[in-house]
Amino acid sequence: MSNCILLGLVQSLMTSKVVLTRKRAKVDLVQCELCGCWSLKELHEEVLSERPRTSMADKDAYISALEQKLAELSGIEVDQIKKNQLANAADEARVIGEMAAYVASITVQRAAEAQVGLVSPQIADIYSYINAELSEARGAHVLPPLKYDYNALEPHISGTIMEIHHTKHHQAYINNLKAATDKLIEAEQNNDVNAMNALLPAIKFNGGGHLNHTIFWTNMSPNGGGEPSGSVADAINAEFGSFQAFKDKFSAASVGVKGSGWGWLGYCPKNDKVAVATCQNQDPLQLTHGLVPLLGLDVWEHAYYLQYKNLRADYVKAFFNVIDWSNVNERYENARKAAGH
């Protein structure tokens, strides 16, 4: 288990009832010299005062001392917390692994044996959405680079989470999407409509995962936060009455997602209005609600658990500190233009 994860735990504890009983009027954070993660300044300094560090060789001793302080502060066994975190990561890996196995299990019939029928239009729609966002041809899917360092969003979103989320989870969706696309092409060559439609759940899940995460990365910035400006601000005020009213509705919807999914601010081309919506799992917003995605928040536990544990509401609150409203405004203006407004 990474030491960064342990230090991320300290930040999640700062909002818990255990810490609040210490009656701190203000909580200060400090960045650890060892791994770059953020911790409670008081706890960090308390550990250092008892065990001064002179080199990186003391790293393990420092972490051990921090674990002891965590146990004293929270009454929670750190080993058990680590086990819970590992179990959560394993569960996410299981879901992705099961989808990969599902794709592999689909057998394409030979052309002479394949049954003719109607192919679900959602298959083409998903690839169309991906192409519109990334200019990627079907099957030519790659992990988009971030425009900022993994630790650039700290202390709001830890660098450890960002790196794992981007290089592991997003990459896994891409790998599965490419495998599903290869199988889809084979089915098309044999005119096996049953196999094509059987691939829809995998294309929807992994294609949606690729699309949603790509939007998510661009929606955030180290210089983000604050309130929107420009035409999207006018649209938000017109629809919700105020930015605060929008923030409350978006937050409540995102926190309230059952299980895994996404919270969204989208644009309705038909009504020329913005709206808040949620989607389960990796379902694309446009496919599900007919809304063009403007702002997306990943509320799968892999996006926040290592830092915020089960405090999804705190994660949602922190997200508003890194929103790149210029990106959201640009998406809004492009969507209106495409709709002819």
Side-chain angles (χ1 to χ4, degrees), residues 57-228:
D58 296 320
K59 181 175 181 178
D60 291 339
Y62 169 72
I63 295 298
S64 177
L66 181 59
E67 287 182 340
Q68 293 177 14
K69 289 297 178 183
L70 276 173
E72 293 173 9
L73 175 64
S74 66
I76 302 174
E77 292 293 335
V78 175
D79 285 343
Q80 184 58 48
I81 293 173
K82 290 179 180 179
K83 290 178 182 178
N84 292 342
Q85 292 171 339
L86 286 172
N88 179 266
D91 184 65
E92 172 66 12
R94 176 186 58 77
V95 173
I96 295 175
E98 286 177 352
M99 189 57 70
Y102 175 76
V103 172
S105 71
I106 296 175
T107 302
V108 177
Q109 300 296 319
R110 296 178 181 177
E113 303 171 354
Q115 297 181 6
V116 178
L118 296 176
V119 179
S120 172
Q122 290 189 358
I123 295 175
D125 287 343
I126 293 168
Y127 287 110
S128 175
Y129 300 148
I130 293 173
N131 179 263
E133 177 67 31
L134 285 153
S135 299
E136 287 181 345
R138 192 178 68 169
H141 309 295
V142 295
L143 185 68
L146 302 186
K147 296 182 178 180
Y148 42 83
D149 293 335
Y150 289 124
N151 64 358
L153 303 182
E154 292 184 341
H156 311 294
I157 302 178
S158 79
T160 301
I161 288 178
M162 288 296 296
E163 183 172 6
I164 294 173
H165 200 172
H166 183 243
T167 63
K168 303 300 182 183
H169 293 289
H170 191 169
Q171 184 65 61
Y173 292 121
I174 292 171
N175 294 343
N176 283 350
L177 176 60
K178 293 174 73 173
T181 304
D182 289 343
K183 184 87 44 123
L184 176 66
I185 293 172
E186 181 186 355
E188 289 173 340
Q189 291 172 344
N190 289 278
N191 198 30
D192 188 346
V193 174
N194 285 348
M196 295 181 215
N197 288 331
L199 286 163
L200 175 58
I203 294 171
K204 184 178 181 180
F205 180 77
N206 294 291
H210 181 31
L211 175 66
N212 294 341
H213 282 91
T214 298
I215 296 169
F216 181 53
W217 308 135
T218 65
N219 279 163
M220 297 186 291
S221 167
N223 301 315
E227 298 189 10

Side-chain angles (χ1 to χ4, degrees), residues 305-325:
Y305 190 85
L306 296 181
Q307 183 175 5
Y308 292 96
K309 293 183 77 252
N310 63 336
L311 303 176
R312 181 187 284 182
D314 290 349
Y315 161 68
V316 172
K317 182 178 180 181
F319 175 66
F320 277 87
N321 293 313
V322 296
I323 294 176
D324 185 351
W325 285 111

Side-chain angles (χ1 to χ4, degrees), residues 320-333:
F320 277 87
N321 293 313
V322 296
I323 294 176
D324 185 351
W325 285 111
S326 63
N327 177 265
V328 179
N329 188 66
E330 181 181 0
R331 289 180 177 278
Y332 173 71
E333 292 180 344

